[in-house]
Amino acid sequence: GIESLRANSYDLVFCDIKMPIMDGMEVLTAIQSEKIEVPVVMISGHGTVETAVQAIKQGAFDFIEKPLDLNRILVILRNVKDRNHLVEETQVLKATVKKIKGSKIVGDSEGIIAIREMIERVAPSEARVLITGQNGTGKELVARSLHELSNRSKMPFIEVNCAAIPAELIESELFGHEKGAFTSAVKDKKGKFELASGGTLFLDEIGDMSASAQAKVLRALQENVIQRVGGEKDIKVDCRIVAATNKELRKEINEGRFREDLFHRLAVIPIHVPSLNERKDDISILAEHFLNIVCLEQGVKLKTLTNDAKKELTEINWSGNIRELRNVIERLVILCDGTIDGKDVSRYANPK
């Protein structure tokens, strides 16, 4: 049975406790020690509470007595199915987190070197950071790097895209709401400020935030307290704020769309991320970086970029910045054979 478990993948194991050569508890110990990922249900005709407790303590999924009850087995099967689904989801999430944590700001241009140095200097502090730059330049990556290198790295990194949330919902999203605060508020809900407490709250596209939400965010930054929508109680919060925008906030202030006092609260440390057209020297490095990632994600053999392909890539006007470059590399990986040359780039990258 153990040899079979080593060689194959199973959804569930039913294991008797009383067996002649090796008893069920020894089998369970062997499964645990070899880290074989399978739920084990122990069965016995001589079951006692002590035996059941010992089996569960040793890592059994469940314990049932003989004669086996069909309804009990069906319940166990359903529970195992739910458990296996959760395990798969957890593995996907861990892989995603690992990829995010393993992400780095790629490039050797002066602007990128300066940003990396700034992040290393600023991350350990509690200073608020305002990241500016065009869409697709990697502002979120800068924010994540600040969090990962901070003293809050073991706590949550919570992201809010202020542009993607309707104005009437942004306050509920940020500060939470009390049950009955509005029609669909059927229960209390924590907002992002509470969820990020102890960690970092990343306010992306903050230039699109409504005026009333700006006023509440300002109070939260000044006093480290919030009030849920429909609530009257002050709730203490402790999160570091990192904000980002693709807008010129000075212009937004002059035109009355953004609060100047909030701007000064957010922009303790300003970091500007240059566009891809301003860092052409990094395009070849980024292209190779994305090529490795995309080939891995697509499950294909690693492809190569010729020097003339890299040259063609540097001559493109990258209005969509790094996001656009990654999409082009993915397109080339899918549509081209093992070696990607300049003609492939000209054909598929839609340069000017």
Side-chain angles (χ1 to χ4, degrees), residues 55-333:
I56 299 299
K57 277 185 175 180
Q58 280 191 224
F61 182 81
D62 208 337
F63 178 94
I64 54 176
E65 290 183 280
K66 297 177 183 176
L68 304 184
D69 178 80
L70 178 60
N71 289 329
R72 180 76 189 279
I73 290 173
L74 290 173
V75 168
I76 288 172
L77 288 172
R78 185 187 64 198
N79 291 343
V80 165
K81 184 181 176 184
D82 291 343
R83 176 257 187 201
N84 289 351
H85 180 63
L86 285 171
V87 167
E88 286 172 10
E89 279 190 343
T90 302
Q91 287 170 345
V92 170
L93 285 170
K94 281 183 176 178
T96 304
V97 168
K98 188 177 180 182
K99 188 193 296 183
I100 290 169
K101 286 188 174 181
S103 296
K104 58 181 181 179
I105 300 170
V106 176
D108 291 330
S109 61
E110 286 185 19
I112 293 304
I113 291 170
I115 286 173
R116 282 202 291 261
E117 289 174 352
M118 179 72 83
I119 289 170
E120 288 175 11
R121 184 179 292 270
V122 172
S125 74
E126 291 293 302
R128 300 185 194 107
V129 180
L130 178 64
I131 307 164
T132 57
Q134 296 176 7
N135 283 331
T137 51
K139 297 189 293 295
E140 182 188 347
L141 191 54
V142 172
R144 287 189 181 277
S145 298
L146 284 164
H147 176 71
E148 289 299 326
L149 293 174
S150 75
N151 299 324
R152 297 171 175 262
S153 58
K154 289 183 168 51
M155 300 302 284
F157 176 88
I158 304 292
E159 180 184 356
V160 183
N161 188 330
C162 301
I165 304 169
E168 62 273 15
L169 296 178
I170 186 73
E171 291 181 36
S172 170
E173 192 71 20
L174 289 173
F175 309 111
H177 60 249
E178 299 286 338
K179 181 180 177 180
F182 44 86
T183 306
S184 58
V186 293
K187 60 180 180 179
D188 292 351
K189 177 193 170 186
K190 288 184 177 181
K192 302 298 188 187
F193 268 89
E194 283 182 80
L195 295 173
S197 201
T200 303
L201 178 61
F202 177 44
L203 300 174
D204 198 7
E205 305 301 351
I206 193 150
D208 293 278
M209 186 180 284
S210 66
S212 61
Q214 287 179 39
K216 288 195 173 184
V217 168
L218 179 64
R219 180 181 181 241
L221 300 186
Q222 287 173 331
E223 303 174 18
N224 290 326
V225 296
I226 61 162
Q227 276 188 1
R228 291 180 183 170
V229 175
E232 296 179 356
K233 185 176 73 172
D234 283 345
I235 300 169
K236 288 281 289 181
V237 289
D238 169 33
C239 54
R240 182 186 190 178
I241 303 294
V242 177
T245 182
N246 64 344
K247 294 187 173 181
E248 293 182 28
L249 289 187
R250 289 286 185 187
K251 183 180 176 184
E252 296 293 304
I253 291 166
N254 293 337
E255 295 178 5
R257 289 191 292 268
F258 199 82
R259 296 180 64 118
E260 187 171 10
D261 46 3
L262 178 57
F263 171 77
H264 290 303
R265 286 278 177 182
L266 293 170
V268 177
I269 304 289
I271 296 178
H272 179 73
V273 185
S275 68
L276 192 52
N277 289 328
E278 294 174 296
R279 44 183 290 214
K280 292 275 191 179
D281 293 345
D282 290 335
I283 289 175
S284 294
I285 302 170
L286 284 162
E288 291 282 4
H289 174 71
F290 290 134
L291 189 71
N292 291 331
I293 291 173
V294 171
C295 287
L296 185 65
E297 287 177 350
Q298 296 289 338
V300 298
K301 188 178 177 182
L302 183 62
K303 300 187 178 185
T304 57
L305 283 166
T306 63
N307 288 332
D308 63 320
K310 293 175 184 177
K311 185 173 181 296
E312 283 287 338
L313 287 169
T314 59
E315 291 175 1
I316 295 172
N317 176 28
W318 295 102
S319 57
N321 292 295
I322 294 172
R323 193 176 293 141
E324 183 185 3
L325 174 61
R326 192 197 189 284
N327 290 345
V328 166
I329 296 298
E330 186 166 359
R331 192 182 309 146
L332 291 167
V333 167

